[in-house]
């Protein structure tokens, strides 16, 4: 493949359509399932109707396309102007599910308006607050995000809670076949097959589901061919607990955006991320999150899987990524595309996404290990993990607290992890491994001196 420094593969370059389309397809395959799976999961958590579920999918596709174009081309100060893909991200799922179960989609979208504004504020002051989110804090939060998604993945593999046949062996057979295909292709596949492992797994699982009579095409037949987005398809509500939860997760997600944009410039452009690019990326993401909520779109985030494609292929042409964004826009204007996605059985989605959830967890571990594992950092990570996941597993432990506190603390482990990690990072004194080693050696030396000094006295007492 030609080096990306040639004009064809420069950011401003325009490769021929015959070459740009296959390269763009890699990004489409990497992003589309995440874009449609998140609204499906959230719709299930809030008990949305089929019509509302289709609307959430449709607007998520549109939001993915528009947010990507904004990041590619930029408008005034908004947008990173980098080869980055943005769309609705899995990192929000635990918080959105918790808020939605309590306040519905109206509460999610209302709180999201404030969350997007918080993102914009982060973008405006990123240089002043960046030190609040070192690797130990970001890694701990991302690790908790991954761990908190596992129950969703497993329940989907079992057929979906409250769905007919939940927990039956045939549901697990479908999920495990899908998972096996994803694993084989991701580990042993080459080129296109390796990049499209999740899509291929879903296609195989979907084919098996058709053979087993587990697919219902009624939603596709009922869906329209074309439907433009509508302003305020849902009423916006602003519950305080939901606002706090969304603000925290949106601010934390800004840390992921910083990491992904940095990886894009280092891996694809062979340079460090610029200040204007960083601020523009955060501002653009906040703008899309706030405006998207007015049309029913869930909050957007950078897509790490597409960052990996850019770093691996070294193809940074804006045209290639813009084609992927254009496809998402076209799919978002056609409700039948969203309806087709809703026919994918839960076990197929679970088998395909459980690997994604595991990868999120490992990303958190990688972030943690970027910083030294000193006693201080281990304390921050371990306590944040213990409290966040402990309260998530046993919400009845805070049953006597006010409802606002219960939702903020017990509803989403990510919020607890973020609060604990940031708080401890500010409160605990910073010590390097070398300082800790010298401190332990000094303590050991003092103890030895005290022991040596006490020996003669002990001998004298014995002799007397």
């Amino acid at each position: 493949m030609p080096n990306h420094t040639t004009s064809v593969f420069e950011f401003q370059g325009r490769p021929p359509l015959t070459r740009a389309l296959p390269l763009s397809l890699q990004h489409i395959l990497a992003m589309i399932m995440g874009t449609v799976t998140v609204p499906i999961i959230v719709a299930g958590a809030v008990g949305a109707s089929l019509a509302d579920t289709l609307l959430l999918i449709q607007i998520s596709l549109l939001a993915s396309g528009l947010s990507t174009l904004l990041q590619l081309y930029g408008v005034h100060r908004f947008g990173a102007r980098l080869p980055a893909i943005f769309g609705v991200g899995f990192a929000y799922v635990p918080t959105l599910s918790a808020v939605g179960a309590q306040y519905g989609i109206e509460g999610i979208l209302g709180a999201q308006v404030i969350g997007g504004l918080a993102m914009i504020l982060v973008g405006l002051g990123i240089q002043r607050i960046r030190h609040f989110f070192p690797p130990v804090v970001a890694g701990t939060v991302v690790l908790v995000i991954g761990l908190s998604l596992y129950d969703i993945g497993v329940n989907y593999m079992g057929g979906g809670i409250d769905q007919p046949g939940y927990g039956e062996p045939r549901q697990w057979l479908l999920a495990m076949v899908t998972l096996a295909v994803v694993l084989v292709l991701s580990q042993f596949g080459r080129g296109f097959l390796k990049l499209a492992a999740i899509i291929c797994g879903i296609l195989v699982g979907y084919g098996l589901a058709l053979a087993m009579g587990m697919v219902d095409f009624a939603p596709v037949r009922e869906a329209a061919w074309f439907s433009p987005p509508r302003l305020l398809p849902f009423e916006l509500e602003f519950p305080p607990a939901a606002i706090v939860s969304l603000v925290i997760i949106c601010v934390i997600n800004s840390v992921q955006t910083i990491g992904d944009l940095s990886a894009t410039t280092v891996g694809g452009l062979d340079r460090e991320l610029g200040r204007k690019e960083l601020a523009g990326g955060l501002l653009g993401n906040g703008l899309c999150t706030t405006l998207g909520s007015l049309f029913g779109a869930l909050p957007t985030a950078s897509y790490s899987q597409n960052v990996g494609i850019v770093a691996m292929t070294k193809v940074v042409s804006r045209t290639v990524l813009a084609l992927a964004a254009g496809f998402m826009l076209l799919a978002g204007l056609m409700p039948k595309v969203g309806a087709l996605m809703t026919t994918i059985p839960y076990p197929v989605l679970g088998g395909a996404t459980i690997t994604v959830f595991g990868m999120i967890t490992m990303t958190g571990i990688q972030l943690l290990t970027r910083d030294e594992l000193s006693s201080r950092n281990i304390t921050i990570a371990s306590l944040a993990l213990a409290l966040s996941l402990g309260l998530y597993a046993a919400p009845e432990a805070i049953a006597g607290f006010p409802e606002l506190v219960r939702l903020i603390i017990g509803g989403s482990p990510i919020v607890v992890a973020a609060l604990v990690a940031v708080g401890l990072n500010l409160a605990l004194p910073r010590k390097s491994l070398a300082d800790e080693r010298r401190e332990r050696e000094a303590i050991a030396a003092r103890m030895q001196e005290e022991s040596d000094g006490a020996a003669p006295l002990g001998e004298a007492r014995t002799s007397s």
Side-chain angles (χ1 to χ4, degrees):
M1 177 175 291
N3 186 276
H4 71 287
T5 56
T6 62
S7 60
V8 172
F9 293 101
E10 287 179 353
F11 184 55
Q12 304 286 353
R14 295 183 178 179
L17 193 61
T18 54
R19 301 184 68 183
L21 278 177
L23 295 171
S24 179
L25 183 60
Q26 298 178 104
H27 288 284
I28 294 171
L29 293 175
M31 68 192 292
I32 190 168
M33 283 317 301
T35 302
V36 301
T37 303
V38 172
I40 290 175
I41 294 175
V42 173
V46 304
S49 65
L50 177 60
D52 287 345
T53 301
L54 293 177
L55 177 59
L56 289 174
I57 296 173
Q58 175 190 356
I59 300 302
S60 291
L61 290 167
L62 286 171
S64 179
L66 289 173
S67 60
T68 297
L69 290 176
L70 178 62
Q71 298 293 344
L72 290 173
Y73 294 93
V75 176
H76 191 45
R77 296 180 62 183
F78 297 90
R81 294 173 173 85
L82 289 173
I85 294 287
F86 277 65
V88 178
F90 276 108
Y92 297 105
V93 168
T95 300
L96 296 181
S97 297
V99 170
Q102 187 76 18
Y103 299 109
I105 191 64
E106 295 82 5
I108 289 177
L109 297 175
Q112 183 182 315
V113 173
I114 312 301
L117 293 176
M119 280 186 185
I120 293 176
L121 291 177
V122 170
L124 292 173
I126 185 59
Q127 298 304 326
R128 298 183 181 89
I129 65 174
R130 194 170 181 175
H131 67 280
F132 288 119
F133 305 103
V136 64
V137 173
T140 299
V141 173
V142 174
L143 178 57
V144 170
I145 289 172
L147 294 174
S148 61
L149 288 169
Y150 289 170
D151 61 334
I152 295 174
V154 170
N155 282 324
Y156 270 43
M157 294 176 79
I161 295 179
D162 297 330
Q163 298 298 315
Y166 174 67
E168 292 182 355
R170 69 171 188 160
Q171 308 280 4
W172 278 98
L173 171 64
L174 192 55
M176 296 309 293
V177 169
T178 304
L179 175 58
V181 174
V182 173
L183 285 176
V184 169
L185 292 182
S186 63
Q187 297 301 313
F188 304 103
R190 300 291 181 187
F192 175 80
L193 288 178
K194 186 178 183 69
L195 292 173
I198 293 179
I199 290 292
C200 291
I202 290 175
L203 290 176
V204 172
Y206 194 77
L208 179 59
L210 283 171
M212 298 171 66
M214 298 173 65
V215 178
D216 179 15
F217 287 105
V220 181
R221 291 192 293 269
E222 297 171 4
W225 279 104
F226 176 79
S227 177
R230 306 195 313 271
L231 182 64
L232 294 176
F234 303 97
E235 293 184 6
L236 301 183
E237 298 179 0
F238 300 90
I243 291 174
V244 173
S245 298
L246 262 295
V247 165
I248 291 176
I249 188 58
C250 285
V251 171
I252 292 299
N253 182 262
S254 298
V255 181
Q256 176 188 334
T257 302
I258 294 172
D260 284 341
L261 293 179
S262 298
T264 297
T265 55
V266 172
L269 301 172
D270 297 327
R271 62 173 176 81
E272 295 296 326
L273 178 65
R275 289 187 178 184
K276 288 186 178 180
E277 293 169 336
L278 171 58
L282 296 174
L283 290 171
N285 198 28
L287 180 66
C288 289
T289 295
T290 295
L291 294 183
S293 62
L294 303 180
F295 294 89
L298 299 176
T300 54
S302 54
Y303 276 0
S304 300
Q305 61 269 34
N306 294 88
V307 173
I309 294 175
V310 169
M312 182 177 65
T313 63
K314 303 295 183 181
V315 175
V316 296
S317 169
R318 182 164 54 187
T319 300
V320 171
L321 278 72
L323 285 173
F327 175 86
M328 302 300 281
L329 289 176
L330 182 62
L333 294 172
M334 300 175 62
K336 281 192 181 294
V337 174
L340 182 63
M341 297 299 175
T342 64
T343 65
I344 302 174
Y346 283 108
V348 176
L349 288 175
T353 57
I354 195 72
T355 57
V356 177
F357 301 159
M359 289 171 63
I360 293 174
T361 302
M362 296 309 299
T363 299
I365 294 174
Q366 289 174 340
L367 281 172
L368 270 174
T369 55
R370 285 184 184 178
D371 209 345
E372 57 184 13
L373 293 179
S374 61
S375 174
R376 172 186 181 276
N377 288 348
I378 290 174
T379 299
I380 292 173
S382 59
L383 192 55
L385 284 168
L387 288 174
S388 61
L389 295 177
L391 288 172
Y392 183 57
E396 63 276 3
I398 55 173
F401 283 72
E403 180 182 353
L404 176 66
V405 177
R406 290 202 308 272
L407 179 62
I408 294 174
I409 296 180
S412 173
I414 303 165
V415 174
V416 178
L419 293 175
V420 173
V422 171
L424 290 178
N425 180 60
L426 294 175
L428 298 182
R430 298 179 182 275
K431 296 180 181 178
S432 66
L433 287 173
D435 291 338
E436 289 184 358
R437 184 171 60 252
R438 285 192 293 269
E439 188 176 282
R440 287 195 299 268
E441 291 173 351
I443 293 174
R446 284 198 299 270
M447 293 178 64
Q448 184 63 41
E449 290 174 359
E450 293 173 359
S451 176
D452 293 342
L457 179 60
E459 292 173 2
R461 288 176 176 173
T462 303
S463 61
S464 62

